[in-house]
């Protein structure tokens, strides 16, 4: 694929894309969140992962801390990691006790085989339990670059089934994507989602600023494409594996590409698109990066207006 010339940054579009961003933390990032709290706008949505290396108390404590600090908790509920219906109800009840069930992210879960009764996130949505625990919006996963273990056809069918199931239960849906380093697949995937009549808000998974080796490590761990051309386009070179890389180019390029894709040129309106930052253990660095990027884009916009 010829390397597309990246469009000039469109500051207004970048500001539009980054406002109402969401963040992700793990159950081990409570101290980091407390340290970063003054750098994060009030009512920012903060996802709390449910990985194999935390326990129930940590996950509930993290969700409680998010709510207590004035942000909106979005706990992850990975279907395959729940051992029983009772376990799911216990988790949802504990989250409701700390006012953290309004927004959930319901995801399959990385285990190759389910550890309990739920094969996938649709099965969990179809239990009908979510409304009983006050759930108002469910985030579901999207894959602009596909998934290493799941066929693209299966992913499209799952996306359609989940959004339909949530609509039937009168629960709002939001699509949260796997992170990426290349904007072309993301813009094309957004077009494909809208062409299927799925209009749910999309939050594009974006790598927070982190060490290049760490970013590539997570890319490999989660099956995210990161070949030499793409990481160069993102802004770091495989030759130089030291130092940090931030998503400046990714955010500016995606915003500009989406702004260029006016309807009528064979594209669909992108609809509501925002950014979800995977902090990769760098919550404060990500919060700082967002503040500086937003200030710079705003300032450049004002200067531009001044010319
Ligand atoms: N932030 C996070 O925690 C994220 C996690 N993921 C991972 O992506 C995978 C799929 O999640 P969803 O899109 O919610 O799928 P899903 O639960 O909607 O399932 C879609 C289809 O893929 C199959 N499937 C689900 N998880 C699988 C797995 N681990 N291995 C093989 N097949 C699987 C299901 O049987 C179903 O047919 C999960 O492993 C999930 O943990 C994806 C994105 C973000
Ligand atoms: N397939 C898939 N599974 C996932 O679990 C997953 C994705 N994709 N996409 C992106 C997010 C990001 N995820 C993570 C998971 C762990 C850390 C992390 O910082 N782990 C550190 C510290 C230990 C901890 O906090 O758990 C580590 O070194 O593992 C970050 C992001 C989970 N997510």
């Amino acid at each position: 694929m010829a390397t597309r010339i990246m469009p000039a940054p469109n500051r207004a579009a970048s500001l539009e894309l980054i406002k109402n961003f969401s963040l992700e933390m793990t159950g081990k990032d409570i101290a980091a969140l407390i340290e970063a709290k003054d750098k994060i706008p009030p009512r920012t949505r903060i996802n709390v992962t449910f990985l194999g290396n935390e326990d129930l108390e940590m996950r509930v404590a993290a969700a409680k801390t998010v709510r207590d600090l004035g942000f909106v908790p979005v706990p992850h509920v990975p279907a395959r990691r729940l051992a029983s219906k009772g376990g799911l109800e216990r988790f949802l009840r504990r989250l409701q006790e700390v006012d953290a069930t309004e927004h959930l992210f319901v995801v399959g879960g990385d285990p190759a085989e389910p550890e309990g009764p739920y094969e996938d996130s649709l099965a969990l949505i179809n239990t009908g339990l979510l409304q009983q625990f006050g759930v108002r919006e469910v985030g579901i996963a999207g894959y602009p670059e596909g998934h290493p273990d799941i066929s693209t056809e299966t992913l499209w069918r799952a996306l359609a089934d989940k959004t339909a199931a949530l609509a039937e239960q009168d629960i709002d849906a939001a699509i949260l994507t796997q992170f990426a380093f290349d904007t072309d697949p993301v813009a094309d995937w957004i077009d494909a989602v809208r062409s299927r009549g799925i209009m749910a808000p999309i939050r594009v998974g974006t790598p927070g600023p982190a060490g290049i080796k760490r970013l590539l490590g997570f890319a490999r761990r989660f099956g995210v494409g990161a070949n030499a051309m793409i990481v160069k386009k993102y802004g770091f070179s495989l030759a130089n594996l030291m130092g940090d890389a931030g998503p400046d180019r990714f955010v500016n390029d995606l915003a500009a590409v989406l702004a260029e894709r006016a309807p009528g040129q064979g594209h669909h309106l992108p609809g509501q698109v925002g950014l979800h930052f995977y902090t990769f253990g760098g919550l404060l660095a990500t919060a700082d990066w967002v503040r500086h990027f937003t200030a710079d884009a705003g300032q450049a916009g004002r200067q531009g207006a001044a010319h």
Side-chain angles (χ1 to χ4, degrees), residues 89-256:
E89 288 171 324
R90 202 164 30 258
F91 185 41
L92 292 174
R93 189 172 311 110
R94 291 292 309 280
L95 288 175
Q96 193 171 33
E97 285 163 5
V98 298
D99 190 13
T101 52
E102 206 178 326
H103 303 264
L104 297 181
F105 176 61
V106 178
V107 73
D110 285 316
E113 289 306 321
E115 293 166 14
Y118 307 115
E119 155 84 19
D120 54 23
S121 51
L122 180 65
L124 200 147
I125 291 166
N126 286 339
T127 57
L129 280 175
L130 300 180
Q131 267 176 336
Q132 289 173 36
F133 288 92
V135 179
R136 294 252 320 287
E137 179 193 71
V138 167
I140 54 178
Y143 305 85
E145 297 176 295
H147 187 289
D149 307 328
I150 308 168
S151 73
T152 304
E153 181 209 343
T154 300
L155 290 174
W156 280 122
R157 190 167 60 249
L159 193 62
D161 292 348
K162 287 183 274 188
T163 46
L166 290 167
E168 273 159 32
Q169 296 182 36
D170 207 14
I171 296 177
D172 292 339
I175 305 170
L176 199 156
T177 75
Q178 179 60 279
F179 61 93
F181 293 104
D182 189 10
T183 54
D184 287 336
V186 175
D188 294 345
W189 179 82
I190 291 172
D191 222 23
V193 171
R194 299 316 186 202
S195 71
R196 283 168 168 77
I198 298 173
M199 304 314 288
I202 293 172
R203 295 177 170 281
V204 174
T206 307
I212 291 168
K213 285 178 88 165
R214 189 168 174 76
L215 284 176
L216 291 176
F218 278 114
R220 201 169 31 256
R221 177 170 159 190
F222 297 132
V224 168
N227 63 42
M229 187 272 285
I230 287 174
V231 295
K232 188 168 179 340
K233 189 171 148 191
Y234 180 81
F236 56 79
S237 75
L238 285 179
N240 162 23
L241 283 182
M242 305 313 291
D244 278 16
D248 309 67
R249 277 194 193 180
F250 180 85
V251 174
N252 280 326
D253 189 41
L254 180 63

Side-chain angles (χ1 to χ4, degrees), residues 35-85:
E35 187 196 0
K37 68 180 176 20
D38 299 331
K39 308 276 182 75
I40 302 170
R43 289 184 304 290
T44 295
R45 289 161 189 252
I46 301 183
N47 285 39
V48 180
T49 57
F50 184 129
L51 303 169
N53 59 3
E54 313 126 335
D55 60 26
L56 177 65
E57 295 315 317
M58 284 168 80
R59 295 178 190 122
V60 173
K64 180 178 185 323
T65 305
V66 171
R67 178 61 81 192
D68 290 351
L69 294 178
F71 307 119
V72 175
V74 186
H76 285 201
V77 186
R80 291 174 165 226
R81 290 193 190 277
L82 292 158
S84 64
K85 185 178 181 208

